[in-house]
């Protein structure tokens, strides 16, 4: 596997379910990100992790819970979601963070539908 | 607050045309600007990255320019092909709150027909 991978690619869940999205990067990067892309809205940053430490949550509702066990893996745990949470969830990684401009590499995304 | 605007929102052209996609941003204190391509329902593919100290970058038929002082970038696509059909996203990189983040525009949806 190369680049950034995400699983599952598609997920349908009820509002009372609990599920998790997984992201893995094979680029040796130290920073990882979760983005949300809703229909007809720009991509929104949800979470940033740098060296496994969360540095930003961007006022995301608590029904979204990130986890970064190491620099290569990132999870997004979902529980009691709302239909408006249906979106494409994208993971990205970059070489680092801080006052330097690093290119971000994106995964293919998980298409989430909440019923 | 940084805002990124892309014009036009959608574009439909015949094959072979040269195209210009526009991106503007409100705060010139950026670290870099990236152009991405997104196919329907898919992730983002980075096309070009222009550092704040650079004026342009080229890759094949693509050329991106950056004018920080006026808050503008353009993506030029030469001799367009049907395979270029996709949504093109512009994003600026800021350093804010102790970390580096991307602010995206809403995208330009391009359709190139044979």
């Amino acid at each position: 596997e190369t680049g950034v991978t995400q699983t599952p690619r598609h997920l349908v869940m009820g509002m009372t379910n609990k599920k998790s999205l997984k992201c893995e990067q094979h680029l040796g990067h130290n920073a990882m990100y979760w983005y949300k892309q809703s229909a007809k809205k720009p991509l929104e940053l949800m979470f940033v992790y740098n060296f496994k430490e969360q540095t930003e949550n961007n006022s995301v509702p608590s029904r979204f819970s990130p986890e970064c066990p190491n620099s290569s893996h990132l999870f997004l745990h979902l529980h009691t979601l709302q239909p408006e949470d249906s979106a494409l969830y994208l993971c990205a990684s970059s070489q680092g963070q801080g006052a330097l401009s690093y290119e971000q590499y994106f995964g293919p995304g998980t298409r989430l539908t909440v019923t | 607050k940084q805002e990124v605007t892309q014009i036009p929102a959608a574009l439909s052209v015949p094959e072979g045309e040269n195209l210009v996609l526009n991106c503007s941003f409100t705060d010139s204190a950026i670290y870099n600007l990236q152009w991405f391509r997104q196919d329907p329902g898919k992730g983002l593919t980075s096309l070009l990255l222009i550092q704040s100290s650079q004026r342009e970058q080229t890759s094949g038929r693509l050329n991106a320019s950056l004018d920080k002082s006026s808050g503008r970038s353009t993506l030029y696509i030469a001799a367009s092909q049907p395979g270029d059909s996709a949504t093109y996203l512009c994003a600026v990189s800021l350093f804010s709150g102790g970390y580096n983040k991307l602010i995206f525009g809403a995208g330009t949806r391009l359709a190139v027909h044979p």
Side-chain angles (χ1 to χ4, degrees):
Chain A
E1 290 274 21
T2 58
V4 181
T5 58
Q6 291 186 242
T7 54
R9 295 294 309 279
H10 301 272
L11 178 62
V12 179
M13 60 185 288
M15 289 190 286
T16 59
N17 290 159
K18 289 185 180 181
K19 296 286 184 183
S20 296
L21 310 185
K22 179 183 176 182
C23 175
E24 185 173 359
Q25 59 94 2
H26 310 268
L27 300 168
H29 289 167
N30 293 309
M32 298 187 76
Y33 312 79
W34 279 117
Y35 289 87
K36 176 183 179 181
Q37 188 176 34
S38 304
K40 300 183 180 176
K41 289 178 67 176
L43 267 84
E44 303 170 83
L45 178 66
M46 299 176 72
F47 299 103
V48 178
Y49 276 85
N50 187 33
F51 289 97
K52 303 184 299 177
E53 297 289 326
Q54 183 176 312
T55 60
E56 166 68 11
N57 73 356
N58 225 28
S59 302
V60 177
S62 60
R63 56 186 184 270
F64 295 92
S65 175
E67 178 189 1
C68 188
N70 54 60
S71 295
S72 298
H73 294 86
L74 184 64
F75 296 89
L76 187 62
H77 303 300
L78 316 171
H79 63 96
T80 58
L81 295 191
Q82 305 297 311
E84 60 264 29
D85 296 322
S86 298
L88 182 68
Y89 289 84
L90 292 163
C91 174
S93 71
S94 66
Q95 184 177 345
Q97 258 290 332
L100 292 171
S101 55
Y102 293 111
E103 187 171 4
Q104 290 189 25
Y105 294 82
F106 283 76
T110 294
R111 173 67 63 186
L112 173 67
T113 303
V114 181
T115 61
Chain B
K1 179 187 172 188
Q2 177 74 268
E3 292 184 0
V4 180
T5 304
Q6 291 188 246
I7 296 173
L11 188 60
S12 180
V13 299
E15 183 177 6
E17 278 205 4
N18 299 324
L19 310 172
V20 175
L21 307 183
N22 297 291
C23 173
S24 61
F25 46 95
T26 54
D27 187 343
S28 62
I30 65 171
Y31 276 90
N32 63 45
L33 184 145
Q34 278 187 261
W35 282 94
F36 295 89
R37 168 186 173 138
Q38 186 175 31
D39 292 286
K42 303 288 180 63
L44 277 62
T45 300
S46 181
L47 298 173
L48 291 164
L49 180 146
I50 311 176
Q51 301 288 358
S52 61
S53 58
Q54 297 175 318
R55 295 294 293 233
E56 66 177 339
Q57 281 286 333
T58 299
S59 176
R61 294 183 293 107
L62 304 179
N63 175 278
S65 67
L66 174 64
D67 184 343
K68 261 185 62 173
S69 60
S70 67
R72 293 181 184 178
S73 176
T74 59
L75 179 66
Y76 177 82
I77 303 175
S80 59
Q81 303 170 357
D84 294 329
S85 299
T87 296
Y88 290 81
L89 297 168
C90 163
V92 296
S93 175
L94 308 175
F95 185 66
S96 172
Y99 69 97
N100 190 282
K101 63 189 293 185
L102 286 179
I103 307 296
F104 283 84
T108 293
R109 192 170 61 256
L110 173 65
V112 181
H113 48 87

